[in-house]
Amino acid sequence: MKISVELFGAAREFSKTKYLEFNFSKSCKVIDIKKKLYEHVDNKFNGNLNYKEIIKSSAFCSDKDQLIKENQILNKNQIIGIIPPIGGG
Amino acid sequence: MLHAKIIDSSIEKIEISKAEYFLKSEKFGAVIYFIGVVRDNNENKKVNGITYDAKDTMVIKSFEEIYNETEQKLGIKNKAVFIEHVKGHLKLSEKSILIGVACKHRDEAYRLSRFIIEEIKKRSPIWKKEHYENEDSEWLKGISLTT
C-alpha cells in the first residue's frame, strides 16, 4: 500500500518534490506515517531538530480535506496532507 | 452571499474594484474592507517579501464554514462577504488578503469583518515564508491544528 504525503508550508523543506511517498505492507495509522517522516528527516537531514518539531506540531488531512487523528487507520492507496502550524492573513 | 477565492500572485492581483462590484447593493448601508499587506519588518528583521502557501481546497472550505457560522455566532443574517487570499510571492506593500463585508448597519459590518479575519488566522491552512534583506528566508511559526 502506498501513502503519498502532500507537503505544505514549512514541510515543503522536506523534499524538492510536492509529495513524499511511503510504502506499507498492510494498513497503517497516521502515527505510522509520522514515524516514516521522522525517519526521512533522520536519513536526509541528519535528524534536523527544527524539521522534527514541524512534524510533531503538524496536523494531517485526508484527500477529502478533513483533519484526521493520529490513530486513524488508512487501508488503501491514498494521498494525505501534512498541515504544519498555520498563519495566513 | 459569499465570494471566496485563492489568488495565484503569478497570474493576478487582489483588486478592490472586484469586491466593490460584488458587495454593491441597495440593501446594505455599511461596507468595510480589511486589507492585509506585506510590511517591511517583523521581529526586528528587515523583510523584503513574503511567499504564501495554501492548501487551496481546504482554505476555500474554511472560508465557507466561517461564513456559514456568522449567522449563528454573530446573529447576522443579511450580509455579503468577499474574501480573497493570495498564494505565491508578494513584494512589500502588496495585498495578501482582502475581506470585504456588506451589512445593513456599521456595527454588524465591523463585527463581521473582525470575526472573519480572526477565524481565518486560526483555521485556514495558509502559511507565510518571509524573505529578508540578507537573503535568508524563514517559514513563520503559526497555530497548530493538531487535536
Side-chain angles (χ1 to χ4, degrees):
Chain A
M1 186 182 72
K2 186 169 77 178
I3 301 293
S4 299
V5 180
E6 190 172 8
L7 305 172
F8 294 98
R12 286 196 187 274
E13 306 298 329
F14 297 172
S15 175
K16 289 178 180 172
T17 59
K18 291 182 178 180
Y19 299 86
L20 287 173
E21 293 181 344
F22 301 110
N23 290 304
F24 295 88
S25 55
K26 51 182 181 177
S27 66
C28 68
K29 294 181 179 179
V30 172
I31 197 165
D32 298 318
I33 297 164
K34 285 184 84 168
K35 287 176 187 168
K36 292 277 191 182
L37 285 165
Y38 284 123
E39 288 172 17
H40 174 79
V41 169
D42 282 335
N43 295 333
K44 301 286 185 184
F45 300 100
N46 199 25
N48 186 306
L49 293 177
N50 289 333
Y51 288 3
K52 287 188 171 183
E53 183 58 34
I54 292 166
I55 299 167
K56 184 182 173 188
S57 57
S58 288
F60 290 81
C61 68
S62 70
D63 54 2
K64 293 184 173 59
D65 291 331
Q66 300 278 357
L67 291 177
I68 49 179
K69 294 185 175 175
E70 287 196 342
N71 61 0
Q72 173 79 40
I73 294 172
L74 308 174
N75 52 19
K76 61 177 182 180
N77 292 345
Q78 61 189 283
I79 297 170
I80 67 169
I82 180 169
I83 308 293
I86 61 166
Chain B
M1 193 167 65
L2 171 69
H3 165 94
K5 187 178 178 185
I6 299 292
I7 299 288
D8 183 338
S9 66
S10 67
I11 299 170
E12 55 183 329
K13 304 272 183 200
I14 289 176
E15 294 177 28
I16 298 171
S17 59
K18 289 181 183 172
E20 283 176 330
Y21 182 79
F22 180 81
L23 297 171
K24 192 172 182 181
S25 167
E26 292 174 353
K27 293 178 186 172
F28 303 127
V31 180
I32 290 176
Y33 300 104
F34 170 81
I35 301 167
V37 296
V38 178
R39 69 174 186 272
D40 67 357
N41 67 86
N42 188 28
E43 296 182 348
N44 296 321
K45 292 178 184 171
K46 288 195 172 181
V47 176
N48 60 19
I50 294 180
T51 300
Y52 288 84
D53 191 16
K55 187 170 189 345
D56 298 19
T57 52
M58 210 168 163
V59 170
I60 297 298
K61 188 178 167 192
S62 72
F63 290 174
E64 291 168 350
E65 287 171 352
I66 291 165
Y67 172 84
N68 289 332
E69 288 171 13
T70 57
E71 182 170 339
Q72 189 186 11
K73 291 191 174 176
L74 304 178
I76 301 172
K77 283 186 182 176
N78 299 315
K79 59 194 175 280
V81 174
F82 181 102
I83 310 173
E84 290 190 345
H85 199 297
V86 158
K87 178 179 180 176
H89 186 265
L90 291 183
K91 294 181 283 192
L92 296 181
S93 298
E94 289 189 309
K95 300 178 194 70
S96 59
I97 185 170
L98 169 57
I99 300 170
V101 302
C103 298
K104 199 170 178 182
H105 302 293
R106 68 183 182 283
D107 178 59
E108 292 177 323
Y110 276 116
R111 287 191 293 121
L112 181 58
S113 176
R114 184 65 189 259
F115 176 82
I116 291 170
I117 183 61
E118 298 302 336
E119 291 301 310
I120 287 172
K121 290 268 186 191
K122 287 187 281 189
R123 293 161 57 173
S124 301
I126 301 168
W127 300 271
K128 292 180 192 179
K129 188 178 194 179
E130 282 186 342
H131 303 280
Y132 305 112
E133 266 193 350
N134 62 4
E135 298 188 353
D136 279 350
S137 60
E138 183 180 26
W139 290 98
L140 296 188
K141 292 181 175 62
I143 298 171
S144 176
L145 295 185
T146 53
T147 52

